[in-house]
Amino acid sequence: MTEPERAALDHIRQVVDSVIGVVAPPEPLPVSTQPIILPVPFVTHLGDEAGLPTNDSGAAAGFMLVRAYIDEAISPASFYEHTGQSAGDGLSFTQIMNVLGVNGVPVELRSNLKLADLSLILFSGRPVIAPIQQSVLQQAGLAPDTYNGAYYIVVVGMDVKQVFIHDPLRQDSSGQAQGVSWLTFYQAWSQAQGYVRAVLVPRQQLIRRVRVTASALDIYEQPMANTSPIGSVNLGELFEVMAQKSGWGKIGEGRWINLSYTVDI
């Protein structure tokens, strides 16, 4: 963790202390004001699939992670159908977790977390699915409607004042993450039905930084080696992997490399 990240985390701990009523230190540490926002595509369930019995916040949240990690062309409706759940019934964490795993995004359930724990997960480059009490967002003027059942959002980033989320009930064509104050998020997260500040955490970082370990490594247009390569990269070159699929990493549009010949940095 870098020094700016350590400073930001210390500031976040002060936010946590303020939420639980502990007096903060008199001289807060200086921090960077730049937010960390992970590149997760946004989908609303007020769009084309509105009104469908498979229109569910859990399916929308799961869909967002699948699209972010493996760039797979699925829909929230197909995600829901893969759970085997009866149409119209909300999804559980276990169902969401199982379908994510089948689609190449293994996750683990963590609960009884603190805000500092969540910040460390986000700093590590992992967006999470979190259950919340959606009415808290509505009462804070951050959502147009109230949903009283189990409700899930994707937490995609943070800074020292806000958590950034993708809320499936939000209608926003920009696709930008929505900022929610730490206190409002903490209240919504703490009041979720059936969970105590829980999240589904992907086992892999969304954006991996890798170094090539082969003397020459071919680049392919698709994540498979049964076609002709379109180029190559050299030993020691560094790349950010924007999506992963079956051991392959996407390093650009139509540019995939075999991650077996790389190491994380």
Side-chain angles (χ1 to χ4, degrees):
M1 184 181 297
T2 65
E3 286 307 313
E5 289 172 345
R6 291 181 192 279
L9 184 55
D10 284 338
H11 189 96
I12 291 161
R13 289 198 178 101
Q14 295 170 24
V15 175
V16 177
D17 289 343
S18 71
V19 170
I20 63 177
V22 178
V23 176
E27 295 183 1
L29 291 171
V31 298
S32 169
T33 58
Q34 289 297 111
I36 296 171
I37 301 180
L38 299 169
V40 177
F42 171 69
V43 64
T44 174
H45 66 187
L46 299 178
D48 295 339
E49 296 186 352
L52 294 180
T54 55
N55 187 29
D56 178 84
S57 64
F63 161 86
M64 288 188 245
L65 283 197
V66 172
R67 287 296 305 272
Y69 271 88
I70 64 172
D71 201 23
E72 192 72 29
I74 68 169
S75 69
S78 64
F79 187 98
Y80 184 100
E81 290 162 0
H82 287 162
T83 67
Q85 179 68 294
S86 300
D89 294 333
L91 300 183
S92 69
F93 246 2
T94 299
Q95 290 171 315
I96 297 170
M97 182 164 50
N98 290 341
V99 177
L100 283 169
V102 168
N103 281 278
V105 188
V107 295
E108 59 186 52
L109 173 62
R110 300 184 191 175
S111 59
N112 292 294
L113 299 182
K114 300 177 181 179
L115 290 178
D117 299 320
L118 177 61
S119 69
L120 284 172
I121 293 169
L122 294 170
F123 271 132
S124 76
R126 293 168 172 84
V128 302
I129 295 177
I132 64 165
Q133 178 60 256
Q134 193 274 338
S135 61
V136 174
L137 298 187
Q138 195 275 334
Q139 292 165 8
L142 298 170
D145 301 301
T146 296
Y147 184 86
N148 294 317
Y151 195 78
Y152 304 93
I153 60 171
V154 181
V155 185
V156 299
M158 55 169 284
D159 63 16
V160 296
K161 294 183 179 180
Q162 300 178 102
V163 181
F164 292 93
I165 67 171
H166 284 333
D167 175 6
L169 261 186
R170 182 170 176 242
Q171 183 73 63
D172 185 351
S173 59
S174 74
Q176 299 297 311
Q178 179 181 22
V180 178
S181 73
W182 280 101
L183 179 57
T184 299
F185 173 80
Y186 185 82
Q187 292 170 334
W189 192 29
S190 298
Q191 296 175 33
Q193 298 178 14
Y195 304 99
V196 181
R197 293 186 302 282
V199 293
L200 289 181
V201 185
R203 293 179 183 172
Q204 293 182 328
Q205 295 172 309
L206 177 55
I207 298 180
R208 291 174 63 183
R209 293 170 176 83
V210 300
R211 182 174 65 249
V212 176
T213 58
S215 57
L217 181 59
D218 288 335
I219 302 172
Y220 294 85
E221 193 170 4
Q222 298 294 331
M224 58 186 70
N226 59 358
T227 58
S228 298
I230 60 173
S232 65
V233 295
N234 299 317
L235 176 67
E237 287 194 67
L238 307 179
F239 296 95
E240 286 193 344
V241 177
M242 302 180 294
Q244 301 170 64
K245 187 173 185 179
S246 303
W248 291 78
K250 185 178 182 181
I251 60 172
E253 196 59 41
R255 292 167 55 84
W256 293 79
I257 59 174
N258 190 327
L259 295 177
S260 299
Y261 302 96
T262 67
V263 292
D264 290 321
I265 57 173

